[in-house]
Amino acid sequence: MNTTIPFVARTDEDDRDTWLEALGTAMPSYRIKPFEELSEDDRAAARVAIVADPDPADLALLPNLEWVHSLWAGVERIVAELPVDGPKIVRLEDPQMAKTMAEAVLAWTLYLHRDMPLYRRQQEAREWKMHELPLPSQRNVGILGLGNLGRVAAGRLLEQEFNVCGWSRSGTRMEGVETFGGSEGLDRLLAKADIIVVLMPLTGETRGLLDASRLSGMKPGASLINFARGPIVDTRALLEQLDRGHLNHAVLDVFDREPLPHDSPLWSHPAVTVLPHISGPTNRTTASAIVARNIAAYFANGTIPDGVDRLRGY
Ligand code: NAP
């Protein structure tokens, strides 16, 4: 009989069914069963589960779980909710997602580089006015987080001849990119970059990292793109810096609360572009193929991909 693998997710029925179909196609020799349909025997036999924002109470009912494979790249919620001695957490690391995210970073960097928000405002005012256009090589784009996503995004910006710098926890090196590490390195990068792209996980260390003091230390006239997680940036402080003209524009794809509440001032702010968390969507086909490969390797030889470091939080 086929091995049963629990699918544990807090999602609506349509989303669940679409995932079950994609995973079923990628893993025809397993039975992927939603948590609600597991028998007592299924629960006791489960060694691995596929999860998407799982309810920790559900996972607690799978007593022999060794690891969970998340369908999400961001794991701050599952890290916060699962007990430290709980199953190992493996997150989705999909090269296709990195390419998709890099495309978004390039698109919105070009949006800022080519002053599109300004020309939109000029059109509304029927104003015909040209502005000086710097070369991409004269624009410093600073990426916060040079991991799976940040590195591919940096590569895409380099191809476009932007001057790219990056900041990471360990001061990771990357050819063609000026890299910074540590708190003082962050201050230097913020003071230098014309466009900052946030691509770090939300952890105890990165929550509120871009606070009033750091935002005021950004280069005058710089812009911010947040494609990582909302709470990394202090929204109130960001609005202050935009209102006083110290910062030029913010492209925000992620927020403290999602969906962004109707009464948020961000919706109508002229210097803010609001996106509904669309910069790096998961592709169900490529994600399912990765999950299938990882789970097949586990059942073939017991290997589990490198998991999230619970202390670091990512
Ligand atoms: P990753 O491979 O784990 O890379 C994270 C990077 O952030 C690494 O370079 C890491 O430094 C750096 N970092 C972590 N903590 C830091 C700290 N305290 N100070 C400085 N740098 C720090 O993660 P990823 O796959 O690139 O994904 C990044 C985040 O993007 C995810 O966590 C998720 O929240 C977000 N995301 C958003 C979307 C979307 O649609 N908006 C889609 C996918 C993912 P080291 O290199 O030194 O470890």
Side-chain angles (χ1 to χ4, degrees), residues 73-76 91 97 101 145-150 167-172 199-203 205-206 227-229 253-254 277-281 312 314:
V75 286
E76 68 280 356
R91 71 190 188 99
M97 179 189 280
M101 179 59 94
L146 284 178
N148 291 327
L149 303 185
W167 185 71
S168 68
R169 197 164 174 267
S170 55
T172 328
L199 272 178
M200 298 184 291
L202 176 62
T203 67
E205 282 183 25
T206 64
F227 283 170
R229 286 295 182 263
D253 185 45
V254 287
H277 204 132
I278 44 82
S279 55
R312 269 188 345 183
Y314 72 100

Side-chain angles (χ1 to χ4, degrees), residues 134-185:
L135 297 172
S137 58
Q138 295 169 316
R139 293 269 198 213
N140 298 327
V141 184
I143 304 186
L144 306 188
L146 284 178
N148 291 327
L149 303 185
R151 295 175 75 80
V152 180
R156 199 76 203 270
L157 293 171
L158 285 175
E159 281 167 19
Q160 210 64 32
E161 299 184 0
F162 283 102
N163 188 41
V164 184
C165 35
W167 185 71
S168 68
R169 197 164 174 267
S170 55
T172 328
R173 302 248 165 251
M174 180 173 172
E175 206 184 319
V177 176
E178 187 184 1
T179 50
F180 298 82
S183 174
E184 180 258 346

